[in-house]
Structures are given as structure tokens and as C-alpha cells.
């Protein structure tokens, strides 16, 4: 394990089919005024909205509605949410939805009482929070981002062509999150598989760095194997509780800081994917799927031993009689076959990216330095081009 680190996670989780009941235990801990944050229509269609409102009323809460959080929440929506929170002096932000709704709630938590422009202060300049922070609780309905147990908060500014993921500290993590796998059954297949790939990508972003013998990598391999196994079952039978519950639990552990411990971590697939998102507003997991193969093929020579280990330990590639490179490449080929089986989007052109956008996309890509290769501008353009 590299370096010195501390580990704690302040989010309390309630998991399982009966987990919504525990909202009754959490609500009394906060004041009367609750900002109820959700997306467009899914929770009204599947009945979850009514259940939540009933619990809030039973607990004597006054509800301030904040509906219409879009996938890839925008900076304009953030300003709207801050106004609702501030004007009504709310005591709790209750997010009911996927990563977008949870991320947005955290952004409002940090920004509502900010005296400056929060986009500039907390996203562009990434400053420490020096104002009152509102508590957040989550009821998760879409699995993938890990937002339910981390400080991540991704906001998109379409005018500036920037999608920025701020990682806030413990004080912005959700105070509690309710994870009922059954709430994810109504997700369309496209969203379910995008979420599954998001999970895989989160694990790989942390796995593909370093050359030391690190327990975090063994944990990651276990999570990946479980994800691959359950993903195949969930694709065939989306209401298989065992598979959906495993996927939900893997998502949480994939990005709640645990498997990053002692590692530098990469995150370039996400930087490339976020640039694509800032131009196209495409579904997050699909932006990652579309750039992954081109990116991994480019960095494979620089992290050959880890790619070889990945092929053998995660994808069961038989190493006998093969060169290191052949084993590593076979691992990526088996991974690609699984991605196609999952019906993921494998090309950027399918997400609306055109050749003319490539330079701009590269300019919108933040370059990270923790992986096996620090990409140059030209290499980033080449990865996008290879992904078309
Ligand atoms: O708006 P509604 O009607 O609710 O529909 C949503 C939305 O259209 C729908 N949905 C959610 N739960 C549903 C459902 N439909 C039917 N039944 C249900 N149970 O799904 C659509 C997508 O939801 P969204 O929340 O956007 O998906 P996801 O959870 O993938 O979140 C994506 C956002 O999270 C960010 C992404 O960049 C993106 O902005 N990320 C956050 C991270 C973090 N906090 O650490 C890390 C990730 O890498 C990621 O960047
Ligand atoms: Zn992600």
C-alpha cells in the first residue's frame, strides 16, 4: 500500500427491500422544512413519490418541491435549487433518484448559502467550502455512480462546454442513503446497462494505476467478477433480486473511496467521457463505454503487467504459451465482447459526435496524471478519433 491515508465514510446506508422504512428513523433528526428533489417523471410513474410524501407528512414535514433535475444536471438548475433552499430556509435536502439527483442535491448543499457564484467558486476554482452546508439524504433509484456514498457532484455547463466533477469532503457526503434494489426494476434497459458500465469503469479507473502489490486491487478484482456475473443475469431477467441487489451493492463499493486507498488512480476515461457529455449531453455510462477500448489500447503498453493481470484474474484468460502482450490484448477482447453482449454504445458517432468536434472535445478534456500514461493533446484527439 502506498503512502499515508485515512479512511472513514460518514454515510449511513440502509439496504434491502424494506429499507424505505428507515426514512422514519432518519427524518426526526432534521428540522421541519424538507426540499424534495427528484427528476422528471419516473418516481411519479412507479409510485415512489407518493410513498415518500406520505412518510414526510407522517413525520410532520413541510415539503418544498424541487422537481425536474435532468440527467447531467446543469448549472442553471443548480442556481434554481439554491434559490428554493435559501428562500425557504430548508433544513434537509432529500434526493430521490439516480446519480444526477444525488449529485445535484450535494451541489445545492454546498452552494445554497454561498455568497459568490458557486459554479466559479466550487467547480471552476475548486475552493474549500466556507459557508453553511445543508444535510443531504438519498433514496436511490438508479445504480451506477456511487453518489449515494461519496462526495462526488458533477455539474454541466453547456455554454462553457464543461462538465466538472467536484469531489467534496466528508461534510457534503449524504448523511444517509436508502438502497432498495426493487426501486431500480423500472429502469429502462439502456439506463441499466449504462449504469453497469459506469460501475465497471469506476473500478477500472482505480485499478489501472500503480505497480505495487496492493490489497485495493484484489478487492477491485472481486467486485469486477461479481459485476460481470450479475450483469449477465440482470440483462436476461431485470427483476432478478439477487442480481440487482448485488449490482447495487457493487456500485456503492466501487466509488465510496475504499478501492482507491493506497493508489494514485487514473480517471482519464471519465475525463474523456465528461468532455463528450459537455458537447452531447449523452448518458454518462455510454460516453465511457464509447471511449474505453481506444483509450485502453493506447495505454496498454505502459501498464502491460496490470493489463495482463486483469486479463487473467478478471476475464479468466489462459496465460499459458502466450506473450504478455497477447494475454493483455486477449483480456481487452473478452471485455469488448462482454460490452457488446451488454448492448453498450461502442462508438462516439452513435452519441452524436462528429469529426469536427474532436479538437473541441480534446480542449474540454482535463488531463489526469495518476494513470500509466499522461496523454498529450494529440493523443487525446487520437483516442476520440479511434472511438468514432
Ligand atoms: O428523471 P427521471 O424521470 O427520474 O428519469 C431518470 C433519468 O432519465 C431515469 N431513472 C432513474 N431512476 C429510474 C429511472 N427511470 C425509471 N425507473 C427508475 N427507477 O434514469 C435517467 C438517468 O438518471 P441519472 O440520475 O442521470 O443517471 P445516473 O445515476 O447514471 O447519473 C448520472 C450523473 O452522475 C454523474 C454523471 O456525470 C451524470 O451527471 N456522476 C456522478 C459521480 C459521483 N457522484 O461520484 C461519478 C460518476 O462517474 C458520474 O460522473
Ligand atoms: Zn462514472
Amino acid at each position: 500500500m502506498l503512502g499515508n491515508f485515512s479512511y472513514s465514510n460518514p454515510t449511513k446506508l440502509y439496504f434491502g427491500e424494506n429499507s424505505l422504512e428507515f426514512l422514519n428513523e432518519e427524518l426526526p433528526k432534521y428540522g421541519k422544512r424538507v426540499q424534495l428533489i427528484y427528476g422528471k417523471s419516473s418516481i411519479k410513474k412507479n409510485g415512489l413519490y407518493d410513498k415518500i410524501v406520505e412518510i414526510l407528512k407522517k413525520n410532520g414535514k413541510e415539503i418544498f418541491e424541487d422537481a425536474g433535475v435532468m440527467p447531467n444536471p446543469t448549472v442553471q438548475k443548480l442556481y434554481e435549487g439554491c434559490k428554493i433552499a435559501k428562500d425557504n430556509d430548508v433544513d434537509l435536502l432529500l434526493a430521490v433518484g439516480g446519480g444526477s439527483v444525488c449529485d445535484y442535491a450535494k451541489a445545492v448543499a454546498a452552494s445554497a448559502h454561498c455568497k459568490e457564484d458557486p459554479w466559479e467558486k466550487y467547480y471552476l476554482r475548486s475552493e474549500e467550502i466556507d459557508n453553511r452546508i445543508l444535510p443531504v439524504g438519498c433514496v436511490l433509484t438508479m445504480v451506477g455512480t456511487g453518489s449515494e456514498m461519496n462526495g462526488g457532484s458533477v455539474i454541466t455547463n453547456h455554454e462553457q462546454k464543461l462538465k466538472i466533477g467536484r469531489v467534496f469532503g466528508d461534510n457534503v457526503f449524504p448523511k444517509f442513503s436508502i438502497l432498495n434494489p426493487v426501486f431500480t426494476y423500472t429502469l429502462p434497459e439502456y439506463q441499466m446497462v449504462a449504469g453497469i458500465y459506469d460501475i465497471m469503469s469506476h473500478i477500472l479507473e482505480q485499478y489501472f494505476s500503480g505497480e505495487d502489490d496492493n490489497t485495493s486491487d484484489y478487492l477491485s478484482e472481486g467486485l469486477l467478477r461479481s459485476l460481470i456475473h450479475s450483469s449477465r443475469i440482470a440483462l436476461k431477467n431485470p427483476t432478478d433480486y439477487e442480481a440487482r441487489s448485488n449490482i447495487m451493492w457493487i456500485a456503492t463499493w466501487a466509488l465510496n473511496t475504499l478501492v482507491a486507498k493506497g493508489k494514485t488512480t487514473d480517471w482519464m476515461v471519465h475525463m474523456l467521457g465528461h468532455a463528450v457529455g459537455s458537447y452531447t449531453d449523452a448518458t454518462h455510462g455510454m460516453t465511457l463505454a464509447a471511449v474505453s477500448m481506444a483509450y485502453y489500447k493506447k495505454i496498454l503498453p505502459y501498464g502491460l503487467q496490470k493489463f495482463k493481470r486483469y486479463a487473467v484474474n478478471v476475464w479468466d484468460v489462459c496465460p499459458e504459451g502466450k506473450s504478455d502482450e497477447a494475454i493483455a490484448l486477449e483480456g481487452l477482447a473478452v471485455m469488448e465482447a462482454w460490452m457488446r453482449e451488454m448492448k453498450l454504445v461502442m462508438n462516439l458517432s452513435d452519441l452524436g459526435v462528429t469529426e469536427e468536434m474532436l479538437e473541441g472535445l480534446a480542449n474540454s478534456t482535463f488531463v489526469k496524471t495518476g494513470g500509466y500514461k499522461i496523454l498529450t493533446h494529440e493523443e487525446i484527439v487520437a483516442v476520440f478519433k479511434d472511438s468514432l
Side-chain angles (χ1 to χ4, degrees):
M1 303 292 286
L2 287 177
N4 305 295
F5 57 81
S6 67
Y7 181 74
S8 75
N9 192 309
T11 304
K12 180 157 187 180
L13 298 179
Y14 297 97
F15 192 95
E17 278 178 282
N18 299 328
S19 50
L20 190 59
E21 283 297 308
F22 291 95
L23 193 50
N24 289 301
E25 273 186 24
E26 287 295 332
L27 289 175
K29 298 179 188 169
Y30 305 94
K32 239 181 107 191
R33 306 162 78 80
V34 177
Q35 184 160 336
L36 178 57
I37 301 175
Y38 54 99
K40 200 171 159 213
S41 56
S42 71
I43 66 161
K44 290 209 165 156
K45 281 192 201 142
N46 64 19
L48 184 56
Y49 174 86
D50 291 337
K51 283 187 199 148
I52 303 259
V53 168
E54 194 187 321
I55 296 173
L56 286 169
K57 286 192 176 149
K58 203 175 95 196
N59 282 275
K61 302 293 180 184
E62 196 176 338
I63 300 171
F64 299 89
E65 293 257 343
D66 185 359
V69 179
M70 61 293 281
N72 312 317
T74 62
V75 70
Q76 281 77 19
K77 180 67 188 165
L78 169 61
Y79 297 143
E80 237 179 87
C82 289
K83 187 165 173 5
I84 297 171
K86 203 156 180 238
D87 288 356
N88 299 293
D89 192 19
V90 303
D91 302 304
L92 173 69
L93 305 169
L94 184 62
V96 186
S100 294
V101 173
C102 299
D103 276 20
Y104 165 87
K106 284 182 254 179
V108 174
S111 308
H113 294 282
C114 177
K115 300 254 181 322
E116 299 165 55
D117 180 334
W119 167 255
E120 287 181 13
K121 185 174 168 77
Y122 295 138
Y123 289 81
L124 287 179
R125 299 200 301 274
S126 200
E127 287 178 22
E128 289 305 315
I129 305 173
D130 55 8
N131 48 258
R132 181 182 156 204
I133 300 170
L134 294 171
V136 172
C138 299
V139 179
L140 198 66
T141 67
M142 151 101 198
V143 171
T145 63
S147 188
E148 65 275 13
M149 203 186 192
N150 69 33
S153 171
V154 184
I155 296 294
T156 300
N157 187 323
H158 288 294
E159 275 158 30
Q160 296 176 10
K161 294 269 187 280
L162 288 174
K163 181 172 182 177
I164 298 181
R166 170 73 198 261
V167 182
F168 290 115
D170 281 15
N171 47 8
V172 181
F173 277 49
K175 301 287 178 229
F176 65 90
S177 284
I178 291 174
L179 277 61
N180 181 344
V182 176
F183 294 163
T184 69
Y185 284 178
T186 52
L187 270 174
E189 183 183 270
Y190 187 87
Q191 294 295 341
M192 180 186 79
V193 297
I196 287 171
Y197 192 73
D198 194 20
I199 303 169
M200 173 162 284
S201 180
H202 293 160
I203 303 172
L204 295 183
E205 298 277 30
Q206 297 163 96
Y207 183 76
F208 285 127
S209 67
E211 271 142 28
D212 56 326
D213 186 40
N214 191 316
T215 300
S216 293
D217 292 333
Y218 294 83
L219 291 171
S220 289
E221 286 165 358
L223 291 172
L224 286 165
R225 291 187 69 93
S226 178
L227 179 69
I228 294 159
H229 176 76
S230 293
S231 67
R232 292 191 160 123
I233 300 169
L235 188 66
K236 283 204 188 81
N237 181 9
T239 56
D240 185 298
Y241 182 82
E242 193 171 61
R244 295 304 287 268
S245 60
N246 281 328
I247 294 168
M248 192 170 220
W249 195 229
I250 301 162
T252 304
W253 287 93
L255 196 50
N256 69 359
T257 77
L258 179 78
V259 298
K261 290 300 157 196
K263 301 207 41 108
T264 52
T265 73
D266 184 351
W267 291 106
M268 269 320 289
V269 169
H270 272 68
M271 295 306 103
L272 298 161
H274 282 179
V276 173
S278 75
Y279 270 71
T280 62
D281 208 27
T283 297
H284 172 64
M286 295 309 188
T287 64
L288 308 175
V291 299
S292 285
M293 274 302 139
Y295 174 69
Y296 287 137
K297 282 179 188 158
K298 183 144 300 287
I299 65 162
L300 182 140
Y302 305 91
L304 186 58
Q305 289 311 313
K306 189 51 113 8
F307 278 93
K308 179 185 162 191
R309 174 176 162 171
Y310 173 62
V312 175
N313 290 1
V314 177
W315 295 102
D316 294 329
V317 170
C318 172
E320 266 165 52
K322 296 169 193 160
S323 69
D324 288 354
E325 197 191 3
I327 299 164
L329 283 170
E330 196 177 327
L332 287 189
V334 185
M335 177 187 172
E336 185 174 347
W338 170 82
M339 291 172 78
R340 293 190 188 278
E341 184 186 332
M342 285 296 122
K343 306 181 198 172
L344 292 162
V345 175
M346 301 299 287
N347 298 296
L348 282 177
S349 45
D350 293 339
L351 297 175
V353 174
T354 58
E355 186 110 30
E356 297 72 59
M357 288 182 193
L358 299 185
E359 273 295 324
L361 284 176
N363 289 333
S364 287
T365 304
F366 292 89
V367 178
K368 295 275 184 185
T369 56
Y372 289 122
K373 168 89 177 78
I374 300 173
L375 294 190
T376 62
H377 180 85
E378 290 69 32
E379 285 168 328
I380 292 173
V381 174
V383 170
F384 282 132
K385 202 167 180 249
D386 292 346
S387 306
L388 273 178

